[in-house]
Amino acid sequence: MAATLSTAVHTVEWSGEDVEVGDVVRALCQLREESAHEAEGPNLRTSVMTHLAWVPSEWEEAAVGTLAGLGERHPSRGILLFPEPDGDDGIDAKVSMLAFPLREQRRHIAAEVVELRLRGQTSRAAPSIVNPLLVPGLPVFLRWRGRPPFGDHEGDQLIDVCDRLIYDSNEWPDVPQVYAELPFDRAACSDIAWRRTEPWRGVLARLWPDVGEARSLRVRGPLAETSLLVGWLRSRLEREVELEHDDADELTEIDVDGHACAAPREHPSSSDLLSAELDQFGRDSVYEAAARRAVG
Amino acid sequence: MTEAPAVENPLLEGLGQRRTPEPCVLVVFGASGDLTHRKIIPALYALALRKLLPEKFAIVGAARSEWTDDEFRDQMEHAVREFGRDDFKQDVWDWLAQATRYISLDFADETKENDLAGLLNEIDEERGTRGNRVYYLAVPPQAMPTIVREVGERRKSEGWVRLIVEKPFGHDLASARELTALLSEHFTEEEVFRIDHYLGKETVQNMLALRFANGIFEPIWNRQFVDHIQITVAETLGVEGRAAYYEHSGAIRDIFQNHALQLVALTAMEPPIDFTAESVRNEKVKVLKAIRTPAPEHVVRGQYGPGYIEGKEVPLYREEEGVDPASMTETFVAAKLLVDNWRWADTPIYLRIGKRLARRETTIGIQFKRAPHPPFEDATTEELQPNMLLVHVQPDEGVSLAIGAKVPGQGMRIRTVHMDFLYGGAFRTELPEAYERLLLDAMLGDQTLFTRSDEVEEQWALVDAIVSGWARDRPAFPNYAAGTWGPAGSDELTRRDGRAWLRH
């Protein structure tokens, strides 16, 4: 095992190639002690979750950027899994102990980030690798970048580890059909695309009771969000609503039966959206019904 | 024929429970004052930034100063930049500024009151605020009767009215009853929002969460397991330009009657059946009623002398600007309170409040009884303190639990360690200012965190009983040095019972 230990003002790190999971566990303990010496006053670990992220190579840059800020907003142990199925078998690891200073205080909040490159066969045995690294007794959130392989044995095993699966169906090429495959019976599901529709759902809800008789919906926006919106109306109103869709990068216009709706004031950022999903714990029955009816 | 019941809106299910008030106008009386600048306007800006204000909304500032709308807006922009907790965003401010008007008002001038009513009607027409009004009385007590009467007499038939009243709610029981009678001439109790900003603090509300959302605490939250409770509300500041008020109020009316007794009530109350305003306030009133009037020897008052605060020399109270050189006003009160009910019988609540103390902190300490029979030699547990659950209201908002743990190494030596839950550590969002929460609640008509008239009267009844005992003696003031934890009598209060104040 080749390991290095480096420290920064508020970060201590350990990394190694071809490591065992036990090495990572020991590094976590060791870094926690190291960071306590680095910071002025003891570091607090007030974790609220283990945050898993499955990050195929094409999503690596975006994922690392998003996660960098989340450790501070949601104190957690973050485990980033980078699958490299075509490499030689083995695990490369980097463990960082980040210390976020608390405003007007000497103490720091500790957040742990574990980055694992799962090469070869190990990428197909992810649950056995992450299980020893989960913080006991806390919920596990799995953020899956790209399209999860629903129905695939390895993918389902990893989903079974988590309490909540978070994805953005805007990243999927086969919406709305794929909504029929969502694993609602295996884990609570959060769709960031669904969260993006929330301000518009608020606008439509304010049209009650007139909207209760809606027959058609024209949406200018991404297909995923459009499909979820019409699925939501169909399921909540228990009636057929025809959809007319104009593709766009974001939701900008909605007409109900030919009448334009006023745009909402809220425009949450992508980190706000993910953060909001990390605050959810139970199943979202309204979303599940909307996804089912989005298919048609 | 009976009308069919309205069908509930099925589209609301699952939507975020964002609480947005109905359209309304907020009228701030005392708009040129310190409270408006430091708290009210920055709080409104923070609510606007988070889009928590209704879209159809307006602010009307009312004060004696001869300002135009633009001059008032300039003042308020300055206040937001200086006292706001968020970065200044021009578009947010522009939205708030265009909704802001000002009227110069002599509170005793009836013509001007008509002008205000006219302006509010004009705003209703322009902005669709439907006659809904929130009146914020950020004015001295002497200005209150005129405003209450004038506003009450001009209330419209359409829309709702809410009246936010700042403390002091009287200066004794009789005057508190007079104020209640005045308010009730024109407003119902449901329309009156008596603001005690302590109740808007996240950590004060967290006391309710800690007690009633955690099954492990409530079973031991009683006389069987709790040895005593300590509540400290300590300031390092002096009177800071408030001498005229403070000389008449003293610590007992300024802090003890309201903030401190609110903390007692939240700590000792029974679980409410739900979290509605009436249920919570009913339980608080029951506790206040159950507090026994403390015997004279169970109350200690003090006044600070010269000393040092954070390394800087500070003068004695009697040399503060505006203070009578022979003042007998107390700047410190400590008391041993007993709550005569089944839960707390014979379990003392030690309470101390004061100015120019050693550190700024507000804490509630629940000291549990010692383990009945630790099977260790005495020498190994000499550093072991009884378990203490310490709620940090401010600063370092959070909760810590003192537990005994084995010192690593040979043998069995045990010492006290602290497990900390730091509020800002688990929830990495900025805690909202108390006024943000309370202003929003008032606009929403939620009175849970506001004080009801019978609560105020129970608080004053206790304070009056304590103060009447003070008429019979004349302590030698000053009796504690600035920068310490109060007079020696305060330590004696706990020492007599074989206990001690926390020294942290």
mmCIF file with all atom_site columns, all heavy atoms in Angstrom, chain A residues 58-76:
data_model
loop_
_atom_site.group_PDB
_atom_site.id
_atom_site.type_symbol
_atom_site.label_atom_id
_atom_site.label_alt_id
_atom_site.label_comp_id
_atom_site.label_asym_id
_atom_site.label_entity_id
_atom_site.label_seq_id
_atom_site.pdbx_PDB_ins_code
_atom_site.Cartn_x
_atom_site.Cartn_y
_atom_site.Cartn_z
_atom_site.occupancy
_atom_site.B_iso_or_equiv
_atom_site.pdbx_formal_charge
_atom_site.auth_seq_id
_atom_site.auth_comp_id
_atom_site.auth_asym_id
_atom_site.auth_atom_id
_atom_site.pdbx_PDB_model_num
ATOM 1   N N   . GLU A 1 58 ? -18.069 10.324 -16.809 1.00 0.00 ? 58 GLU A N   1
ATOM 2   C CA  . GLU A 1 58 ? -18.541 11.518 -17.521 1.00 0.00 ? 58 GLU A CA  1
ATOM 3   C C   . GLU A 1 58 ? -19.169 12.560 -16.583 1.00 0.00 ? 58 GLU A C   1
ATOM 4   O O   . GLU A 1 58 ? -19.369 13.715 -16.961 1.00 0.00 ? 58 GLU A O   1
ATOM 5   C CB  . GLU A 1 58 ? -19.527 11.142 -18.636 1.00 0.00 ? 58 GLU A CB  1
ATOM 6   C CG  . GLU A 1 58 ? -20.818 10.485 -18.187 1.00 0.00 ? 58 GLU A CG  1
ATOM 7   C CD  . GLU A 1 58 ? -20.718 8.964  -18.155 1.00 0.00 ? 58 GLU A CD  1
ATOM 8   O OE1 . GLU A 1 58 ? -19.614 8.438  -17.891 1.00 0.00 ? 58 GLU A OE1 1
ATOM 9   O OE2 . GLU A 1 58 ? -21.751 8.300  -18.353 1.00 0.00 ? 58 GLU A OE2 1
ATOM 10  N N   . TRP A 1 59 ? -19.476 12.152 -15.336 1.00 0.00 ? 59 TRP A N   1
ATOM 11  C CA  . TRP A 1 59 ? -20.107 13.082 -14.403 1.00 0.00 ? 59 TRP A CA  1
ATOM 12  C C   . TRP A 1 59 ? -19.141 13.560 -13.315 1.00 0.00 ? 59 TRP A C   1
ATOM 13  O O   . TRP A 1 59 ? -19.514 14.293 -12.409 1.00 0.00 ? 59 TRP A O   1
ATOM 14  C CB  . TRP A 1 59 ? -21.314 12.421 -13.706 1.00 0.00 ? 59 TRP A CB  1
ATOM 15  C CG  . TRP A 1 59 ? -22.417 12.122 -14.658 1.00 0.00 ? 59 TRP A CG  1
ATOM 16  C CD1 . TRP A 1 59 ? -22.718 10.927 -15.217 1.00 0.00 ? 59 TRP A CD1 1
ATOM 17  C CD2 . TRP A 1 59 ? -23.347 13.055 -15.202 1.00 0.00 ? 59 TRP A CD2 1
ATOM 18  N NE1 . TRP A 1 59 ? -23.777 11.041 -16.067 1.00 0.00 ? 59 TRP A NE1 1
ATOM 19  C CE2 . TRP A 1 59 ? -24.192 12.350 -16.071 1.00 0.00 ? 59 TRP A CE2 1
ATOM 20  C CE3 . TRP A 1 59 ? -23.549 14.431 -15.037 1.00 0.00 ? 59 TRP A CE3 1
ATOM 21  C CZ2 . TRP A 1 59 ? -25.217 12.954 -16.782 1.00 0.00 ? 59 TRP A CZ2 1
ATOM 22  C CZ3 . TRP A 1 59 ? -24.577 15.035 -15.730 1.00 0.00 ? 59 TRP A CZ3 1
ATOM 23  C CH2 . TRP A 1 59 ? -25.397 14.298 -16.591 1.00 0.00 ? 59 TRP A CH2 1
ATOM 24  N N   . GLU A 1 60 ? -17.880 13.124 -13.432 1.00 0.00 ? 60 GLU A N   1
ATOM 25  C CA  . GLU A 1 60 ? -16.950 13.322 -12.321 1.00 0.00 ? 60 GLU A CA  1
ATOM 26  C C   . GLU A 1 60 ? -16.777 14.787 -11.942 1.00 0.00 ? 60 GLU A C   1
ATOM 27  O O   . GLU A 1 60 ? -16.897 15.154 -10.771 1.00 0.00 ? 60 GLU A O   1
ATOM 28  C CB  . GLU A 1 60 ? -15.598 12.706 -12.693 1.00 0.00 ? 60 GLU A CB  1
ATOM 29  C CG  . GLU A 1 60 ? -14.728 12.480 -11.503 1.00 0.00 ? 60 GLU A CG  1
ATOM 30  C CD  . GLU A 1 60 ? -13.540 11.590 -11.838 1.00 0.00 ? 60 GLU A CD  1
ATOM 31  O OE1 . GLU A 1 60 ? -13.706 10.604 -12.585 1.00 0.00 ? 60 GLU A OE1 1
ATOM 32  O OE2 . GLU A 1 60 ? -12.450 11.907 -11.353 1.00 0.00 ? 60 GLU A OE2 1
ATOM 33  N N   . GLU A 1 61 ? -16.536 15.622 -12.925 1.00 0.00 ? 61 GLU A N   1
ATOM 34  C CA  . GLU A 1 61 ? -16.249 17.026 -12.629 1.00 0.00 ? 61 GLU A CA  1
ATOM 35  C C   . GLU A 1 61 ? -17.441 17.703 -11.952 1.00 0.00 ? 61 GLU A C   1
ATOM 36  O O   . GLU A 1 61 ? -17.309 18.370 -10.934 1.00 0.00 ? 61 GLU A O   1
ATOM 37  C CB  . GLU A 1 61 ? -15.912 17.752 -13.931 1.00 0.00 ? 61 GLU A CB  1
ATOM 38  C CG  . GLU A 1 61 ? -15.096 19.000 -13.719 1.00 0.00 ? 61 GLU A CG  1
ATOM 39  C CD  . GLU A 1 61 ? -14.674 19.600 -15.054 1.00 0.00 ? 61 GLU A CD  1
ATOM 40  O OE1 . GLU A 1 61 ? -14.313 18.828 -15.978 1.00 0.00 ? 61 GLU A OE1 1
ATOM 41  O OE2 . GLU A 1 61 ? -14.741 20.816 -15.174 1.00 0.00 ? 61 GLU A OE2 1
ATOM 42  N N   . ALA A 1 62 ? -18.606 17.487 -12.531 1.00 0.00 ? 62 ALA A N   1
ATOM 43  C CA  . ALA A 1 62 ? -19.818 18.122 -11.984 1.00 0.00 ? 62 ALA A CA  1
ATOM 44  C C   . ALA A 1 62 ? -20.085 17.630 -10.571 1.00 0.00 ? 62 ALA A C   1
ATOM 45  O O   . ALA A 1 62 ? -20.448 18.408 -9.678  1.00 0.00 ? 62 ALA A O   1
ATOM 46  C CB  . ALA A 1 62 ? -21.008 17.830 -12.876 1.00 0.00 ? 62 ALA A CB  1
ATOM 47  N N   . ALA A 1 63 ? -19.895 16.342 -10.341 1.00 0.00 ? 63 ALA A N   1
ATOM 48  C CA  . ALA A 1 63 ? -20.231 15.759 -9.038  1.00 0.00 ? 63 ALA A CA  1
ATOM 49  C C   . ALA A 1 63 ? -19.324 16.283 -7.943  1.00 0.00 ? 63 ALA A C   1
ATOM 50  O O   . ALA A 1 63 ? -19.784 16.648 -6.858  1.00 0.00 ? 63 ALA A O   1
ATOM 51  C CB  . ALA A 1 63 ? -20.131 14.240 -9.102  1.00 0.00 ? 63 ALA A CB  1
ATOM 52  N N   . VAL A 1 64 ? -18.039 16.334 -8.218  1.00 0.00 ? 64 VAL A N   1
ATOM 53  C CA  . VAL A 1 64 ? -17.098 16.776 -7.188  1.00 0.00 ? 64 VAL A CA  1
ATOM 54  C C   . VAL A 1 64 ? -17.376 18.229 -6.815  1.00 0.00 ? 64 VAL A C   1
ATOM 55  O O   . VAL A 1 64 ? -17.368 18.603 -5.647  1.00 0.00 ? 64 VAL A O   1
ATOM 56  C CB  . VAL A 1 64 ? -15.641 16.591 -7.673  1.00 0.00 ? 64 VAL A CB  1
ATOM 57  C CG1 . VAL A 1 64 ? -14.662 17.229 -6.698  1.00 0.00 ? 64 VAL A CG1 1
ATOM 58  C CG2 . VAL A 1 64 ? -15.334 15.114 -7.830  1.00 0.00 ? 64 VAL A CG2 1
ATOM 59  N N   . GLY A 1 65 ? -17.687 19.039 -7.827  1.00 0.00 ? 65 GLY A N   1
ATOM 60  C CA  . GLY A 1 65 ? -17.999 20.452 -7.573  1.00 0.00 ? 65 GLY A CA  1
ATOM 61  C C   . GLY A 1 65 ? -19.217 20.611 -6.678  1.00 0.00 ? 65 GLY A C   1
ATOM 62  O O   . GLY A 1 65 ? -19.212 21.384 -5.729  1.00 0.00 ? 65 GLY A O   1
ATOM 63  N N   . THR A 1 66 ? -20.265 19.841 -6.973  1.00 0.00 ? 66 THR A N   1
ATOM 64  C CA  . THR A 1 66 ? -21.499 19.959 -6.181  1.00 0.00 ? 66 THR A CA  1
ATOM 65  C C   . THR A 1 66 ? -21.277 19.488 -4.756  1.00 0.00 ? 66 THR A C   1
ATOM 66  O O   . THR A 1 66 ? -21.723 20.109 -3.797  1.00 0.00 ? 66 THR A O   1
ATOM 67  C CB  . THR A 1 66 ? -22.629 19.116 -6.816  1.00 0.00 ? 66 THR A CB  1
ATOM 68  O OG1 . THR A 1 66 ? -22.732 19.465 -8.188  1.00 0.00 ? 66 THR A OG1 1
ATOM 69  C CG2 . THR A 1 66 ? -23.955 19.373 -6.119  1.00 0.00 ? 66 THR A CG2 1
ATOM 70  N N   . LEU A 1 67 ? -20.553 18.375 -4.625  1.00 0.00 ? 67 LEU A N   1
ATOM 71  C CA  . LEU A 1 67 ? -20.372 17.789 -3.304  1.00 0.00 ? 67 LEU A CA  1
ATOM 72  C C   . LEU A 1 67 ? -19.473 18.634 -2.412  1.00 0.00 ? 67 LEU A C   1
ATOM 73  O O   . LEU A 1 67 ? -19.592 18.598 -1.191  1.00 0.00 ? 67 LEU A O   1
ATOM 74  C CB  . LEU A 1 67 ? -19.794 16.386 -3.418  1.00 0.00 ? 67 LEU A CB  1
ATOM 75  C CG  . LEU A 1 67 ? -20.796 15.354 -3.918  1.00 0.00 ? 67 LEU A CG  1
ATOM 76  C CD1 . LEU A 1 67 ? -20.091 14.059 -4.227  1.00 0.00 ? 67 LEU A CD1 1
ATOM 77  C CD2 . LEU A 1 67 ? -21.881 15.123 -2.891  1.00 0.00 ? 67 LEU A CD2 1
ATOM 78  N N   . ALA A 1 68 ? -18.583 19.401 -3.054  1.00 0.00 ? 68 ALA A N   1
ATOM 79  C CA  . ALA A 1 68 ? -17.646 20.196 -2.255  1.00 0.00 ? 68 ALA A CA  1
ATOM 80  C C   . ALA A 1 68 ? -18.389 21.095 -1.276  1.00 0.00 ? 68 ALA A C   1
ATOM 81  O O   . ALA A 1 68 ? -17.993 21.240 -0.126  1.00 0.00 ? 68 ALA A O   1
ATOM 82  C CB  . ALA A 1 68 ? -16.764 21.024 -3.178  1.00 0.00 ? 68 ALA A CB  1
ATOM 83  N N   . GLY A 1 69 ? -19.495 21.666 -1.706  1.00 0.00 ? 69 GLY A N   1
ATOM 84  C CA  . GLY A 1 69 ? -20.234 22.577 -0.832  1.00 0.00 ? 69 GLY A CA  1
ATOM 85  C C   . GLY A 1 69 ? -21.178 21.870 0.117   1.00 0.00 ? 69 GLY A C   1
ATOM 86  O O   . GLY A 1 69 ? -21.599 22.445 1.106   1.00 0.00 ? 69 GLY A O   1
ATOM 87  N N   . LEU A 1 70 ? -21.518 20.642 -0.192  1.00 0.00 ? 70 LEU A N   1
ATOM 88  C CA  . LEU A 1 70 ? -22.548 19.976 0.606   1.00 0.00 ? 70 LEU A CA  1
ATOM 89  C C   . LEU A 1 70 ? -22.061 19.536 1.977   1.00 0.00 ? 70 LEU A C   1
ATOM 90  O O   . LEU A 1 70 ? -22.839 19.435 2.907   1.00 0.00 ? 70 LEU A O   1
ATOM 91  C CB  . LEU A 1 70 ? -23.098 18.764 -0.140  1.00 0.00 ? 70 LEU A CB  1
ATOM 92  C CG  . LEU A 1 70 ? -24.161 19.100 -1.176  1.00 0.00 ? 70 LEU A CG  1
ATOM 93  C CD1 . LEU A 1 70 ? -24.602 17.832 -1.876  1.00 0.00 ? 70 LEU A CD1 1
ATOM 94  C CD2 . LEU A 1 70 ? -25.350 19.787 -0.540  1.00 0.00 ? 70 LEU A CD2 1
ATOM 95  N N   . GLY A 1 71 ? -20.776 19.239 2.072   1.00 0.00 ? 71 GLY A N   1
ATOM 96  C CA  . GLY A 1 71 ? -20.235 18.811 3.362   1.00 0.00 ? 71 GLY A CA  1
ATOM 97  C C   . GLY A 1 71 ? -20.496 19.841 4.427   1.00 0.00 ? 71 GLY A C   1
ATOM 98  O O   . GLY A 1 71 ? -20.746 19.525 5.584   1.00 0.00 ? 71 GLY A O   1
ATOM 99  N N   . GLU A 1 72 ? -20.473 21.092 4.010   1.00 0.00 ? 72 GLU A N   1
ATOM 100 C CA  . GLU A 1 72 ? -20.687 22.154 4.981   1.00 0.00 ? 72 GLU A CA  1
ATOM 101 C C   . GLU A 1 72 ? -22.173 22.312 5.286   1.00 0.00 ? 72 GLU A C   1
ATOM 102 O O   . GLU A 1 72 ? -22.570 22.547 6.417   1.00 0.00 ? 72 GLU A O   1
ATOM 103 C CB  . GLU A 1 72 ? -20.128 23.466 4.450   1.00 0.00 ? 72 GLU A CB  1
ATOM 104 C CG  . GLU A 1 72 ? -20.090 24.523 5.509   1.00 0.00 ? 72 GLU A CG  1
ATOM 105 C CD  . GLU A 1 72 ? -19.738 25.880 4.949   1.00 0.00 ? 72 GLU A CD  1
ATOM 106 O OE1 . GLU A 1 72 ? -19.828 26.070 3.733   1.00 0.00 ? 72 GLU A OE1 1
ATOM 107 O OE2 . GLU A 1 72 ? -19.404 26.733 5.741   1.00 0.00 ? 72 GLU A OE2 1
ATOM 108 N N   . ARG A 1 73 ? -23.002 22.181 4.259   1.00 0.00 ? 73 ARG A N   1
ATOM 109 C CA  . ARG A 1 73 ? -24.441 22.402 4.483   1.00 0.00 ? 73 ARG A CA  1
ATOM 110 C C   . ARG A 1 73 ? -25.084 21.228 5.199   1.00 0.00 ? 73 ARG A C   1
ATOM 111 O O   . ARG A 1 73 ? -26.039 21.397 5.940   1.00 0.00 ? 73 ARG A O   1
ATOM 112 C CB  . ARG A 1 73 ? -25.135 22.642 3.140   1.00 0.00 ? 73 ARG A CB  1
ATOM 113 C CG  . ARG A 1 73 ? -24.713 23.951 2.522   1.00 0.00 ? 73 ARG A CG  1
ATOM 114 C CD  . ARG A 1 73 ? -25.207 24.071 1.116   1.00 0.00 ? 73 ARG A CD  1
ATOM 115 N NE  . ARG A 1 73 ? -26.611 24.411 1.051   1.00 0.00 ? 73 ARG A NE  1
ATOM 116 C CZ  . ARG A 1 73 ? -27.190 24.897 -0.036  1.00 0.00 ? 73 ARG A CZ  1
ATOM 117 N NH1 . ARG A 1 73 ? -26.472 25.099 -1.118  1.00 0.00 ? 73 ARG A NH1 1
ATOM 118 N NH2 . ARG A 1 73 ? -28.465 25.181 -0.053  1.00 0.00 ? 73 ARG A NH2 1
ATOM 119 N N   . HIS A 1 74 ? -24.611 20.036 4.917   1.00 0.00 ? 74 HIS A N   1
ATOM 120 C CA  . HIS A 1 74 ? -25.166 18.838 5.546   1.00 0.00 ? 74 HIS A CA  1
ATOM 121 C C   . HIS A 1 74 ? -24.010 18.033 6.114   1.00 0.00 ? 74 HIS A C   1
ATOM 122 O O   . HIS A 1 74 ? -23.464 17.173 5.421   1.00 0.00 ? 74 HIS A O   1
ATOM 123 C CB  . HIS A 1 74 ? -25.931 17.988 4.521   1.00 0.00 ? 74 HIS A CB  1
ATOM 124 C CG  . HIS A 1 74 ? -27.099 18.704 3.941   1.00 0.00 ? 74 HIS A CG  1
ATOM 125 N ND1 . HIS A 1 74 ? -28.355 18.650 4.494   1.00 0.00 ? 74 HIS A ND1 1
ATOM 126 C CD2 . HIS A 1 74 ? -27.195 19.524 2.882   1.00 0.00 ? 74 HIS A CD2 1
ATOM 127 C CE1 . HIS A 1 74 ? -29.180 19.391 3.784   1.00 0.00 ? 74 HIS A CE1 1
ATOM 128 N NE2 . HIS A 1 74 ? -28.499 19.929 2.803   1.00 0.00 ? 74 HIS A NE2 1
ATOM 129 N N   . PRO A 1 75 ? -23.623 18.314 7.349   1.00 0.00 ? 75 PRO A N   1
ATOM 130 C CA  . PRO A 1 75 ? -22.472 17.599 7.912   1.00 0.00 ? 75 PRO A CA  1
ATOM 131 C C   . PRO A 1 75 ? -22.661 16.094 7.755   1.00 0.00 ? 75 PRO A C   1
ATOM 132 O O   . PRO A 1 75 ? -23.657 15.538 8.229   1.00 0.00 ? 75 PRO A O   1
ATOM 133 C CB  . PRO A 1 75 ? -22.494 18.005 9.383   1.00 0.00 ? 75 PRO A CB  1
ATOM 134 C CG  . PRO A 1 75 ? -23.239 19.275 9.413   1.00 0.00 ? 75 PRO A CG  1
ATOM 135 C CD  . PRO A 1 75 ? -24.236 19.205 8.312   1.00 0.00 ? 75 PRO A CD  1
ATOM 136 N N   . SER A 1 76 ? -21.732 15.463 7.083   1.00 0.00 ? 76 SER A N   1
ATOM 137 C CA  . SER A 1 76 ? -21.965 14.068 6.741   1.00 0.00 ? 76 SER A CA  1
ATOM 138 C C   . SER A 1 76 ? -20.641 13.398 6.436   1.00 0.00 ? 76 SER A C   1
ATOM 139 O O   . SER A 1 76 ? -19.598 14.037 6.329   1.00 0.00 ? 76 SER A O   1
ATOM 140 C CB  . SER A 1 76 ? -22.858 13.990 5.499   1.00 0.00 ? 76 SER A CB  1
ATOM 141 O OG  . SER A 1 76 ? -22.237 14.655 4.416   1.00 0.00 ? 76 SER A OG  1
#
